[in-house]
Structures are given as C-alpha cells and as structure tokens.
Amino acid sequence: MSKYIIFKAEDASSQQWEQMLLAHTGAYTDILAEHYDGSKKPIPQPGYRLRDFHTVEKFIDPQFPGASTHSRVGDWEVTRVEEYVPNLPTGGFESVVICYCHYSPVVTPLEPLPRLEFAQELQQV
C-alpha cells in the first residue's frame, strides 16, 4: 500500500501566486507538489521543507537536456499535517496526507543531483 501526499499552500501573497501557475491550463493552484510514496517512511512533519529543483546550464547532460541538475532545500515549510485513512478495505492508498505549507524563504546551497544512468540495453531503441 502507498501514501498519497499533497503539499498545499496555506497562504500565499500575490507574488507567490505567480509562481503557482499550471503551465498546461493557465490556471493558478495552491497545490505545490504531490507525491506517491510506497515506502515505509513516516509522513512529513511540521518543519519539513520541499526541495526546489534547478538546471545549471554548464552541468546539463546533452542526453537529458531538460533534466534538473541541482536541488536545494526550498522556501515552503510544512506547518500542519492532516492524514486521512480510508475505511474501505480495497482502497488504493493506505492514507491520504495533506501537508499545509507556509512560504518562509531560506538561503540554502545548490546541491548537485546524481547523474542519470541507464543500462545499455535500455538506451537502444
């Protein structure tokens, strides 16, 4: 079983809303991220921060030109967590978790992401 984790902005200024534009619809959303977690790790707790992903041009791998190259601890911090456990025995998720986040900017360093590697058989099409 897995957990469906939704990170949602608790509040946002007009400047922050500009960053929450859905590219495919042009609509704004207060959903910052969503994750499907099949691990046995505990759910996020207040104080947890989402990661921001960046592409640093000089580190772009030509094989994966659109991939992020670095990440950093982000500006959205979890302030409150609600967990909902379905009462149906055949539900698709063990629980649905909503993490409410507050925008709290921090200065954190960019950290390189590990390079993507694929087996040779998968690369041949």
Side-chain angles (χ1 to χ4, degrees):
M1 293 286 270
S2 61
K3 298 177 280 287
Y4 177 38
I5 304 172
I6 302 165
F7 294 90
K8 183 178 178 332
E10 194 168 47
D11 54 4
S13 71
S14 59
Q15 181 183 21
Q16 293 150 6
W17 276 110
E18 292 174 8
Q19 299 171 3
M20 295 186 236
L21 181 69
L22 290 174
H24 65 287
T25 65
Y28 291 95
T29 180
D30 61 354
I31 296 175
L32 303 168
E34 53 185 16
H35 299 280
Y36 298 95
D37 183 358
S39 74
K40 295 298 180 188
K41 292 180 183 177
I43 63 174
Q45 295 298 311
Y48 175 85
R49 287 179 175 268
L50 289 168
R51 292 196 72 82
D52 288 338
F53 293 89
H54 301 270
T55 302
V56 178
E57 193 166 337
K58 76 177 201 176
F59 295 103
I60 292 175
D61 183 339
Q63 191 174 3
F64 306 102
S68 297
T69 60
H70 291 71
S71 72
R72 73 174 193 87
V73 173
D75 295 329
W76 289 96
E77 181 178 7
V78 173
T79 57
R80 178 170 53 105
V81 178
E82 296 175 358
E83 183 174 18
Y84 300 95
V85 178
N87 58 3
L88 299 173
T90 58
F93 298 107
E94 173 183 313
S95 66
V96 175
V97 180
I98 301 175
C99 298
Y100 293 91
C101 302
H102 175 72
Y103 186 75
S104 179
V106 292
V107 177
T108 56
L110 284 178
E111 300 169 2
L113 293 172
R115 292 186 62 97
L116 296 173
E117 293 183 26
F118 291 96
Q120 185 63 32
E121 309 84 60
L122 296 176
Q123 291 180 1
Q124 297 175 1
V125 184

